[in-house]
Amino acid sequence: MELFDVPVTVSNPMLSFKNQKTKIVKEYVYVKCDCKRKRAYEVTIMDFSREIMVEILSRLTIKPIFRCKTVCKRWYNLLTSDPLFVKMYQTRSCNFPCILLSNDDSIASVLELKADYDYYSRLRNRPVMLSPEFHLPRHKDRFGYSFDRKKLTLIGSCNGLICLWSGDRYDENYSIYISNPLLGEYFKVKLPEWEKRVRRVAYTLCYSEGSRQYKVLRSVIRKFRGRPEVSELEVCNLGVDEKWRNVGEAAYPLCGRFGNVNVNGVLYWLKDDDDIKTSASIHSFNLVTEEVKPVPVPPGLKTPSLGLRLAELGNCLCLTDSCSSQHVDIWWMKEDDSWTKDCILTNSIPRDICISDLIPIIFWKDGEILMQSRHHTELLSYNPKEKKFRKVKVYDGGYAATRYIPSFYSLKTVMGESFQISNAYPKAEIVLDI
């Protein structure tokens, strides 16, 4: 029996020579043969099967993936167009969560959070920051003149794709873009013709696991002469057609933003209500059946919608009430649409942090909840075991943070090769600051 300490795969054809038996034990091969001379067979990572390659690459963080994209065409195609890699990478993305930073609604950068960094004691910590600014389309007015990218407003993020509003929210000459900023790809969504009776419009981007389709939703409020305003929901399936379908009446989202709270294929949002004396109202849209329906609010809840925030944490819908100065209430929805409440005391929050309007973002290191104070845009982390808040010192403040799942999936794969995909900077590469 001769031992060859060579890491290889079972499917390697170099081991299929005659009158030899192979046995795979972990990552070493024991070869039994009558050869008097040892034979060593050099096997590289390029000899691995697609499944093993995906298994390895999906465990990497953003920086090494960027490097792997430039190794060869095979790896580039695997990282940008292989559905198996996309699914596996998104499943494991919780191991290295990311947040999208924006300033005045304009995208700034993405920050990758690492578990082995101390975010509480260091003054400024950027373990992986993408710079310069994302590869985004330039805003243009009705005459085709280009404007600053600060005119691009972040609407939401879904599976690594972002939805952008270009132009003034009260100008009928606006545009909606879908972009994968990591690849510098984007395309313009074909919108319905503007109607004079339209009063307000809100958009969001979402993904249906059941139908495997990206959908753009828009909530429209129309005013008809002699009748009250009507709020309706319209849907467009990306990559299927460019037709907008009306799916019925639906409550207008709070402050004109859906919030991208997608739990198990159902989109949730708070109803916009100007009356602060009215209790909150939650509505949902099933992305497969395209059914709109109201959702029961927690029992005894009297806080208006303006004082609440919806979020998705750990594949669960949660409702945050931070109107009190002594505590923050987090309601968790169960599968039977019932609610349970966690009352979190705020006496451990640093004095320089405004505790009103706290927004949960993600579960991160050691099961802590990463939150943000909306008014002062500071990050906080709540430890459920210690029942304490701590300030997270990732940046100097001034940014709004939202959950972001990086994706290297090309828009050409989503929309089809025949669809017109643009590149903001075809020759540009994203630089990583460590």
Side-chain angles (χ1 to χ4, degrees), residues 285-346:
F285 175 72
N286 190 303
L287 298 175
V288 177
T289 63
E290 298 190 347
E291 177 186 6
V292 181
K293 67 176 184 180
V295 177
V297 298
L301 181 67
K302 297 181 180 180
T303 305
S305 296
L306 282 173
L308 302 172
R309 288 293 178 269
L310 284 176
E312 183 270 325
L313 290 176
N315 203 32
C316 180
L317 177 68
C318 73
L319 180 69
T320 305
D321 183 356
S322 55
C323 289
S324 172
S325 59
Q326 281 78 36
H327 60 85
V328 174
D329 294 335
I330 299 182
W331 296 84
W332 305 84
M333 176 178 274
K334 298 181 179 180
E335 294 182 357
D336 59 355
D337 290 348
S338 62
W339 296 85
T340 59
K341 183 176 74 170
D342 288 336
C343 184
I344 304 174
L345 299 179
T346 58

Side-chain angles (χ1 to χ4, degrees), residues 245-265:
R245 296 173 289 105
N246 191 312
V247 295
E249 294 188 11
Y252 193 77
L254 179 65
C255 301
R257 296 176 181 271
F258 280 92
N260 285 93
V261 181
N262 187 345
V263 182
N264 296 324

Side-chain angles (χ1 to χ4, degrees), residues 148-165:
D148 193 335
R149 291 186 188 86
K150 291 183 180 180
K151 290 288 185 177
L152 287 170
T153 301
L154 175 64
I155 297 176
S157 171
C158 177
N159 291 350
L161 304 184
I162 58 175
C163 188
L164 301 163
W165 180 301

